[in-house]
Amino acid sequence: MSDTASFVDPVFLARFGLQRANVIDYFLHPLNPFRATVNTSNDVLAMQGLTIGILMQQGVRGEPLTPQAAEEEYQAALTRLTGEQYELLPPADPSMYMLPSPLYSIRHVLRTSPTSTKILGVYYVVEGVIYKAPAVRSLCKAHVAKTLGSLSSTFEALRKCTFYQPSLGYLWVFEEEFQKEGSTMGPVELQELARRRKRRKVLDHRRPGERTPAEEEGIRATEAMDQILVRLSRSSWVTNKASSKTSQPKESTTTSTPTKKKTLEGK
């Protein structure tokens, strides 16, 4: 059964209404898909004529009980039995015992002794509609999936705003014209970004000793990485590699001319 399943009986609600005295009877409806298929302790007490409504009217010794006392007596009767049971959780405010509430909480337990129970499920009755409370695993799974989706969309939006230049390092560009696919930045734009970055550095008037160790380490690491990348871009190995690639087609064209002269001389 899915987590979004629910049950409601309009006939019962129209005939008897819904209150704390009969919410257990409403939950034990034969058509309710959430109720257990086995015979529960609540069914045993109902066959003995013990329900919260009957206890409120007749009591234990023929004297009517208050709603709170009737629920406590009904709970005491459940503790004397073993097996699957449905417990009506008390309200947060004691004054709600006398008033109808739009929300009722019912706990499904497996009782093995008067003091030992195992929770099998929790159900909510909201405005006459019965819902099953989701498990902790389902809640965590839904929250994690929602968080990952939001993080993925955030990183995807920020990915278009990042640029890297060996002379400037990593840059954040939030102008829309540079965030399109295939867009490039010219020398003028790079100079403007460098000017902005220098301006940001000048605005930090703190001395090296006034910064935190983490900030100092980040500044040193950034400067060292920029120097390494600049040296790599200007190294002779990189320039020779690039020049060799560009000079290969020229060599092929120059070597082809002597072959043509030889063929002409042979003729």
Side-chain angles (χ1 to χ4, degrees):
M1 186 179 298
S2 63
D3 295 336
T4 59
S6 61
F7 172 77
V8 61
D9 184 11
V11 178
F12 185 97
L13 297 176
R15 185 176 180 182
F16 304 104
L18 189 63
Q19 51 188 347
R20 298 189 66 85
N22 62 353
V23 66
I24 292 293
D25 300 334
Y26 179 66
F27 188 86
L28 295 176
H29 195 283
L31 299 179
N32 183 12
F34 297 113
R35 66 160 296 171
T37 56
V38 299
N39 196 19
T40 62
S41 301
N42 305 87
D43 297 323
V44 175
L45 293 179
M47 289 185 291
Q48 297 176 1
L50 285 178
T51 63
I52 298 177
I54 294 176
L55 290 173
M56 289 175 58
Q57 296 175 3
Q58 301 179 3
V60 180
R61 301 177 181 177
E63 296 180 359
L65 298 177
T66 62
Q68 183 175 358
E71 290 187 23
E72 293 175 357
E73 186 64 29
Y74 186 77
Q75 183 64 29
L78 287 176
T79 56
R80 292 191 289 267
L81 301 176
T82 58
E84 296 188 19
Q85 303 175 357
Y86 292 102
E87 300 176 347
L88 179 61
L89 299 180
D93 189 1
S95 62
M96 297 301 296
Y97 280 103
M98 305 294 297
L99 302 175
S101 174
L103 173 63
Y104 301 99
S105 303
I106 297 176
R107 183 169 58 188
H108 184 198
V109 299
L110 176 63
R111 185 178 296 276
T112 56
S113 67
T115 58
S116 177
T117 58
K118 179 183 178 181
I119 299 177
L120 303 179
V122 178
Y123 302 89
Y124 298 113
V125 184
V126 184
E127 296 290 348
V129 184
I130 301 175
Y131 301 95
K132 182 179 181 180
V136 177
R137 180 178 179 273
S138 301
L139 287 176
C140 294
K141 184 178 179 180
H143 286 304
V144 169
K146 185 178 179 180
T147 304
L148 290 178
S150 301
L151 289 175
S152 178
S153 59
T154 302
F155 289 138
E156 184 64 24
L158 291 176
R159 183 183 62 84
K160 302 176 182 179
C161 305
T162 56
F163 290 87
Y164 178 78
Q165 294 293 334
S167 60
L168 301 177
Y170 286 97
L171 303 174
W172 291 98
V173 181
F174 297 100
E175 286 77 4
E176 295 182 358
E177 59 268 16
F178 297 115
Q179 297 178 11
K180 299 178 181 178
E181 295 293 336
S183 61
T184 58
M185 302 177 64
V188 178
E189 289 80 4
L190 290 175
Q191 291 179 2
E192 181 63 23
L193 289 175
R195 200 175 296 113
R196 293 179 188 175
R197 185 170 181 179
K198 289 180 181 178
R199 192 181 301 119
R200 285 196 295 267
K201 287 184 177 180
V202 170
L203 290 177
D204 189 5
H205 298 289
R206 294 178 299 173
R207 298 179 180 178
E210 297 176 354
R211 301 188 184 97
T212 61
E215 292 175 347
E216 293 287 348
E217 183 65 24
I219 293 174
R220 288 194 295 269
T222 303
E223 294 177 352
M225 185 61 67
D226 292 341
Q227 292 176 2
I228 292 172
L229 292 174
V230 170
R231 290 176 183 175
L232 287 175
S233 63
R234 297 177 180 177
S235 64
S236 59
W237 184 84
V238 175
T239 55
N240 294 336
K241 192 82 172 181
S243 61
S244 62
K245 288 183 179 179
T246 55
S247 61
Q248 283 180 0
K250 293 182 180 179
E251 292 178 357
S252 61
T253 56
T254 55
T255 54
S256 62
T257 53
T259 56
K260 291 182 179 180
K261 291 182 180 180
K262 289 180 179 180
T263 54
L264 291 174
E265 291 176 357
K267 290 180 179 181

